[in-house]
Amino acid sequence: MAILGQIRSKPWLLMGVIALALLAFLVNPDSIDKVFGKNPDVLGKVNGEKITREEFNDQLFVLQQQAEQQGRPKNGLEEQAWQLLVQSKLIKQQFEKLGFEMTDDYFWNQIQYDQMFAQNQQFFDEKGNFKTQELKKEIETLQNTNPQGYAQWLKTRKTIEYRLMARQVFTNLSAGITTGKKEAEELMKQRDQLADIDFVKVDYAAYLQKTKINVTTQDLADYIKKHPVMFKAEPSRNIGIVFFPSKPSAADDAAALKEITKLYSGGTDASGGTENFQNTKNDSMFVMANSDMPFNPQYVTPAQLPATIQAQIPAAAVGQTFGPYKEQDFYVVSKLVGKKTSDSTLSRHILIAFKGSPAGEGVTRSKEQAKKLADSIGAIVKATPAKFTEFLKLSNDPNSAAQGGSLGWTTPETPFVPEFLTYLANNPKGATGVVETQFGYHIINIEDKKSGSMGYKVANLVKAIKPSDATEAETDKKSRKFIQQVQGKSFNDFVNIAKKGNYQFTNPKAAKRFEGQLQGLGTEKDAEILTWAFDKKRSKGDTELFTVDGTGDKIVVYLNGKQDAGLADPESVRDQIEVIVKNKLAAKQISDKIAGAKASNLDQIAKLFATSKQSAQVNLLNPSVAGAMEPKVAGAAFGVAKGKLSNPVEGGTGVYVLIKKSETVNKQPGDLKQFTESITQRNAGMFGQAWMKSLQDNADIDDYRIEIWNKIGNQQQ
């Protein structure tokens, strides 16, 4: 229920594309294309097919809606939207290569198989038939009565189309995945074969404890060049970050406690020192005038109250106060101002939105016209409740309208906007009324009520423990001193000075332009820092100071590297591959020592590295050797002649040298047909993800986003 999901305690924000906001130039695109060489409405291409800004905005909109409905942050989804669009284009191209076409008939014939509908029984009749015509009719009604809802449907339909194309493509391709008789027979043979071996393992970790190996940038680069597909990099930046939080001092804490104590038991300046929180006759007005958090008129359960008073509230008398007590960065005094049994309410509504309201996209009526229409409908429904359903077609909440306007059972804890909850709490079963919220005017009908648990109304007088001007000035001084110390210095100096000062240091080594958030930071300045780092005028070694609005927090950033599209910068992936490269360097040293010693048996090799000889039984399909999965060792066991010393084998956890003592066959149950089917099913399950990655790795993908940003940004300066 899209609109129902928005009737929450915090305002609904119209979805915006923050990361690409400056691309919305109100000029002729053709003229920009001539000046800049790139059309700002085309963000990229996939095998020559355009990705438009409109497509990107629609995909981002869908992701942001999903995030909001799931209670996740809506920012930082730009890169995910881009990747989904790229994959969708690739799927569409394969869909068309197979000879299919996404016609209207195809869409409606296949929609019942989409994940959005397949598991939802309300779209199927009692015989299991999909209600295609009913769904079509609902969408047609939506088109005629609710332009905003219809526009959202078109965005959703596009994502459904891509999913249907993916389903068709994967179905056709996976149908071709088979296992031949010869292949199955060979795999069964490998499954049943066992080799008994003696071996010596020179463990990498143990070797490196005794032998120091430094991995150079060139070592990393050589490894990357040997594995180019694994290290295909998008444009990124290596950024050093030092965060200076403006934390309240002990003096700031004491000042906040003194202030709330005065309001609690002393007196306000406005009353000449006569009125305080204990003796006030109007708790809500006192909180509204003196608290850093608004008065909440709702009745809540103890679990919804501050942890300090949860156990005390049920036994308290109305008017009893608690505090001052500390909750995180706040001092609080609480007063129990009411208690009653909370009701569960079954209600329904009709939403009449107006132009400019969050639910009013595509609506042309003014606020005054919306109120007049809502009052008229409310009067009719109040007089004749049976006529409620006649006006559902006018509702700007199509999802609840499809359910007869029902909002289901709600309680005071349901995250609806306060005006809505207040009406439900203060009116009896059968009541109908018109309520204004930020979404528009709601004609609400209370269908039923039932008693619930005890609820408590608590007035909380709150004072935030804020950093004073002096504290913020000290933070500013500290950050400015730091940036002066590091300007013109190396990155190592930047890191060392930060550590010496015991400052909060992080180093996102591959920050992407449109990720929206920086790993290890997570402030509202993250996007601005990324903009700074990707400015084409920026050079390695540049530093900048940022201030987080409203907090006094400071951030000093250092540009440590610029990664263009191509192979990854070695240092940006050091954390990922240094251990692997170090093990490979160790493996070469170990192999060279074995060759240099001209060892002819396992005992000599064991003595050379102060280790011991071991025994194991290995299998090609389950290549476990002494608790480690070592496929190369298993391969060597079946590749070396019986009784002959193998060459050193570079395994995943160490270098192995082995001698095969014998081979045996352990015939396992199951016939060839069953085994063939299981292998085919396994391969089909692994196919989709591997095929999609291969498709993307080999595609011709042009990403103009950064280029367009830089050129338009320069035009604005």
Side-chain angles (χ1 to χ4, degrees), residues 353-593:
F354 52 84
K355 185 177 181 180
S357 65
E361 184 179 335
V363 176
T364 58
R365 71 174 74 93
S366 66
K367 184 175 182 179
E368 292 73 20
Q369 290 171 326
K371 185 178 188 308
K372 184 176 180 181
L373 176 59
D375 287 341
S376 174
I377 296 171
I380 295 171
V381 172
K382 191 171 185 178
T384 314
K387 292 189 175 183
F388 183 93
T389 55
E390 296 179 15
F391 297 100
L392 286 171
K393 61 185 179 182
L394 299 176
S395 179
N396 292 113
D397 182 0
N399 295 292
S400 69
Q403 307 298 322
S406 178
L407 302 173
W409 286 96
T410 59
T411 68
E413 293 82 47
T414 302
F416 284 4
V417 287
E419 302 92 336
F420 208 102
L421 289 174
T422 298
Y423 183 85
L424 298 182
N426 296 335
N427 290 278
K429 176 181 176 180
T432 298
V434 177
V435 173
E436 179 186 355
T437 74
Q438 65 215 39
F439 301 99
Y441 293 92
H442 306 256
I443 298 93
I444 303 174
N445 174 243
I446 298 177
E447 298 181 275
D448 199 3
K449 279 198 167 188
K450 57 185 179 182
S451 296
S453 59
M454 182 66 74
Y456 303 91
K457 185 190 289 188
V458 177
N460 292 308
L461 178 66
V462 179
K463 280 298 170 185
I465 306 169
K466 302 175 183 177
S468 62
D469 291 344
T471 299
E472 290 189 3
E474 181 61 29
T475 302
D476 182 70
K477 179 181 177 182
K478 191 184 299 181
S479 63
R480 292 186 184 279
K481 179 181 178 181
F482 175 76
I483 198 171
Q484 288 173 359
Q485 289 176 307
V486 300
Q487 280 180 339
K489 299 289 182 67
S490 70
F491 186 65
N492 282 339
D493 291 333
F494 180 85
V495 175
N496 291 332
I497 295 171
K499 289 182 177 178
K500 186 176 179 181
N502 200 28
Y503 302 142
Q504 296 182 28
F505 168 78
T506 55
N507 179 207
K509 294 184 177 180
K512 305 295 193 302
R513 173 64 186 86
F514 300 106
E515 283 179 329
Q517 290 185 323
L518 284 163
Q519 182 181 3
L521 191 58
T523 71
E524 62 181 34
K525 283 293 176 181
D526 287 21
E528 189 176 328
I529 292 170
L530 285 168
T531 301
W532 172 86
F534 277 86
D535 190 313
K536 67 179 183 180
K537 297 182 298 183
R538 205 64 56 220
S539 300
K540 182 176 179 178
D542 284 356
T543 56
E544 189 61 74
L545 174 66
F546 293 87
T547 301
V548 181
D549 298 334
T551 67
D553 296 341
K554 303 289 181 178
I555 305 166
V556 175
V557 296
Y558 184 109
L559 184 59
N560 186 40
K562 299 171 70 172
Q563 169 72 59
D564 296 323
L567 288 181
D569 175 74
E571 289 301 330
S572 72
V573 294
R574 177 178 284 274
D575 291 347
Q576 302 171 38
I577 65 173
E578 184 173 26
V579 171
I580 298 171
V581 175
K582 186 176 286 189
N583 286 348
K584 285 189 168 294
L585 294 173
K588 187 176 186 310
Q589 287 188 8
I590 294 166
S591 297
D592 289 345
K593 285 185 178 181

Side-chain angles (χ1 to χ4, degrees), residues 283-284 287-297 418 458-462:
D283 299 298
S284 61
V287 169
M288 289 173 63
N290 298 288
S291 178
D292 287 339
M293 287 188 179
F295 177 75
N296 180 9
V458 177
N460 292 308
L461 178 66
V462 179

